[in-house]
Amino acid sequence: MTAPENGTTPEGRAVRDGGSTMIGVRHRTDVDLALKYLNARSQTPAQFALGVAAAYNWATGRAPRAPVTGSSARHHVPDLRLLTAEVDAAVVQLEDPTTQRGARDFTRGVHDGLAWVCGYSDQRI
């Protein structure tokens, strides 16, 4: 499939010049590698790692619902707007002083994973 001139697929997902599907501002293969790397690491705190994995799985379309808001993407893979909205929702939850530690660690993982996917952070988790 070739990308239209506006740099998106017919489903509205961005593609880079080489035809590689983009997830946020990252190549899909980079997000897949980040998930594989995360699963291979044992020193990452459990709930944080689960949050990052949930973020990556949703961002790549492997999970039907967003990990914080539960929203779904129209074409299974969320666009940058929806990814950013999920980052914002994670920030709101992280600022809530009543959020319990396990849930806070999970939400921090979602936030940090999606912040990397969206290009707000250069630190891959």
Side-chain angles (χ1 to χ4, degrees):
M1 163 178 29
T2 58
E5 289 183 30
N6 68 358
T8 63
T9 66
E11 297 83 26
R13 290 178 298 207
V15 292
R16 204 164 255 178
D17 291 337
S20 172
T21 301
M22 301 297 288
I23 306 297
V25 300
R26 308 290 177 192
H27 286 278
R28 180 183 184 92
T29 54
D30 291 339
V31 179
D32 289 338
L33 286 173
L35 182 59
K36 182 178 179 180
Y37 176 71
L38 174 71
N39 290 334
R41 292 183 358 195
S42 61
Q43 74 272 18
T44 306
Q47 288 300 312
F48 179 83
L50 288 172
V52 175
Y56 290 164
N57 280 319
W58 177 65
T60 58
R62 290 186 189 103
R65 301 268 178 212
V68 174
T69 63
S71 64
S72 60
R74 185 173 178 194
H75 296 288
H76 302 289
V77 177
D79 60 13
L80 186 56
R81 180 191 57 77
L82 197 53
L83 291 165
T84 300
E86 194 70 4
V87 171
D88 291 345
V91 168
V92 169
Q93 280 196 8
L94 289 169
E95 291 177 350
D96 182 350
T98 64
T99 303
Q100 294 182 359
R101 181 180 169 101
R104 182 176 301 283
D105 292 344
F106 178 86
T107 303
R108 171 67 60 199
V110 171
H111 174 273
D112 291 2
L114 290 180
W116 175 74
V117 167
C118 293
Y120 302 130
S121 167
D122 288 332
Q123 175 129 12
R124 181 183 77 177
I125 307 299

